[in-house]
Amino acid sequence: QAQLKETGGGAVQAGGSLRLSCEYTGSFKCIAWYRQAPGKAREGVGSIYTGSGHSNVIDSVRGRFTVSQDNAANTVYLQMNSLMSDDTATYFCAAGELCTTRYLTVWGQGTQVTVSS
């Protein structure tokens, strides 16, 4: 059964770093990271095509966040540097055939990231 499990969340001070991991079972062409802050809409943060390794992140985190993978470990990472209070959210990974929301059919339970200023 296809599953995703996020780990690595926690509390950190502004300017700090965290690395989130998304360990998956199954075969997926795309693994993506989303986040949702209290009272805000869910937001796509970044994604990676597992075959090519091509990754992308949204403009607001470019230069601070990167998405990478370890295919042998069936794990995708979200490295987050220079964290800001606006990055506080629950972070989810999602998987599917394409890196657009409608094609991401498997979701993890999420991991909380709290950034204090």
Side-chain angles (χ1 to χ4, degrees):
Q1 181 177 357
Q3 288 185 325
L4 305 175
K5 181 176 174 58
E6 305 96 336
T7 56
V12 64
Q13 290 190 328
S17 298
L18 283 174
R19 188 177 78 162
L20 306 184
S21 299
C22 174
E23 186 174 359
Y24 58 92
T25 56
S27 179
F28 305 103
K29 293 183 179 178
C30 172
I31 306 284
W33 286 97
Y34 284 72
R35 66 185 179 185
Q36 187 164 23
K40 294 188 177 181
R42 184 180 60 189
E43 174 185 44
V45 176
S47 60
I48 189 166
Y49 280 101
T50 58
S52 66
H54 176 73
S55 65
N56 195 22
V57 295
I58 58 174
D59 287 345
S60 63
V61 305
R62 187 164 290 120
R64 300 189 297 121
F65 291 12
T66 57
V67 181
S68 63
Q69 65 179 351
D70 181 344
N71 284 342
N74 278 13
T75 302
V76 168
Y77 304 100
L78 179 66
Q79 177 68 45
M80 306 186 294
N81 300 326
S82 302
L83 282 160
M84 304 184 296
S85 56
D86 285 351
D87 297 318
T88 294
T90 302
Y91 284 72
F92 302 88
C93 62
E97 289 296 299
L98 292 174
C99 290
T100 53
T101 303
R102 66 180 292 190
Y103 291 100
L104 298 169
T105 57
V106 182
W107 289 76
Q109 294 297 308
T111 185
Q112 178 66 37
V113 171
T114 303
V115 183
S116 58
S117 56

